[in-house]
Amino acid sequence: MTDIKRLAVLTSGGDAPGMNTCIRAVARCALFNGCDVIGIRDGYEGLLRGDMAPLDAREVGGIIQRGGTILGTARSEEFRTEAGQLSAMQILKQHGVDGLVVIGGDGSMRGARALAARGLPIVGVPATIDNDMWGTNMAIGVDTALNTICDAIDKLRDTASSHRRAFLIETMGRNCGYLAVMAGVIGGAEVVLIPEAPVTIEEVAAKVEDAYKRGKTHSIIIVSEGANILTTELAGALEKMSVGFSTRITILGHIQRGGRPTAFDRLLASRMGVKAVDALLAGQTDVMMGLRGREVEPVPLEDVVTRQREANLDYYEMAKMLAF
Ligand code: ATP
């Protein structure tokens, strides 16, 4: 065991559903273990402002089901600098913080690594809807985002079938096609475009036209935001190529980030929050909690920030096969 007496928690980077559930788990687990808990507002930016306040058990009540993050989140350029990190260490010291849980995406883990390297006991928790992080099968927020996407596809398919349309549905994910591929499988898409598997407009058009000729009443095309063809460009080209269906675009955008976390995300966030505090109190640092198989286990932050998550093209192929 360590002598951590005051533990802080912050959320950083893009918000993800389940962050609140995790804040609650971190705070309650730390309080249960006799620690003071400090909530840092607005990620590393708030940390540099010294914007932090004690969190008690009641303050994290009623948030288990709320999307977003009660602590707020932000991106900070200053924190990327050596001066920013030195200043952050000093501010934490002034506030008597001797352990930190960082909830966020891969950039946030880079920040956590930087503070760990300066000697602060620190544990990361992965939270990003993109699921682009090495070291965890699932990050907090991914399952909720997928449920939101699935719901949207189901609704769009109703109208697509009625009008014999091809719907181009753009999903988030930046350079990672995870959300798009999974959306393709669970939403029954005819075509999925992801950054990891570039295609030509002609290939997409051939698939859509083929689906039309096979008697399909609609066509769902999922386009990851990082795909090699822009959604608008593809829609314009398909319209000109007369592939059978008329085309419509829906860019799902930030609705994928919001909403009540699913049961899966709440459970994952609770487990990871508790494990993060347990790890810190047991003297572990410089690690991130990862879902490995069915277990939540620590993985080195060094690996998280240096290794690249590989795209799982098996699901991509599965989506293609099931579109027959
Ligand atoms: P998301 O995946 O949802 O975008 P993220 O955590 O990857 O979340 P970023 O904007 O990449 O979001 O990172 C959040 C913050 O982490 C940055 O604003 C910055 O303050 C800090 N950060 C990112 N990279 C580094 C780095 N190399 N060194 C120190 N801090 C960093």
Side-chain angles (χ1 to χ4, degrees), residues 1 3 11 13 19 25 50 59 81 111 121 166 215 237 256 263 270 280 307:
M1 295 298 281
D3 49 3
T11 49
M19 278 183 161
E59 273 165 300
T81 65
Q256 294 161 92
S270 300
L280 273 172
R307 298 177 69 165

Side-chain angles (χ1 to χ4, degrees), residues 194-221:
I194 54 171
E196 297 90 339
V199 287
T200 63
I201 288 178
E202 289 69 27
E203 283 168 334
V204 178
K207 279 188 194 156
V208 175
E209 190 172 4
D210 194 46
Y212 183 78
K213 287 183 178 156
R214 293 201 311 276
K216 292 208 175 193
T217 55
H218 60 266
S219 184
I220 300 290
I221 303 163

Side-chain angles (χ1 to χ4, degrees), residues 12-14 44 75-76 79-80 85 105-108 110-111 128 174:
S12 166
Y44 298 121
R75 304 192 199 263
S76 164
F79 183 76
R80 291 173 185 269
Q85 289 158 22
D106 56 351
S108 304
R110 279 177 222 285
T128 167
R174 292 188 299 187

Side-chain angles (χ1 to χ4, degrees), residues 149-201:
I149 295 168
C150 190
D151 197 38
I153 296 174
D154 290 349
K155 287 176 175 148
L156 291 168
R157 178 185 284 102
D158 289 348
T159 169
S161 309
S162 309
H163 292 273
R164 289 197 159 253
R165 278 178 181 151
F167 256 92
L168 277 72
I169 303 171
E170 185 180 297
T171 56
M172 281 183 159
R174 292 188 299 187
N175 297 323
C176 173
Y178 181 91
L179 281 181
V181 168
M182 293 307 172
V185 175
I186 63 179
E190 271 61 51
V191 188
V192 180
L193 280 77
I194 54 171
E196 297 90 339
V199 287
T200 63
I201 288 178

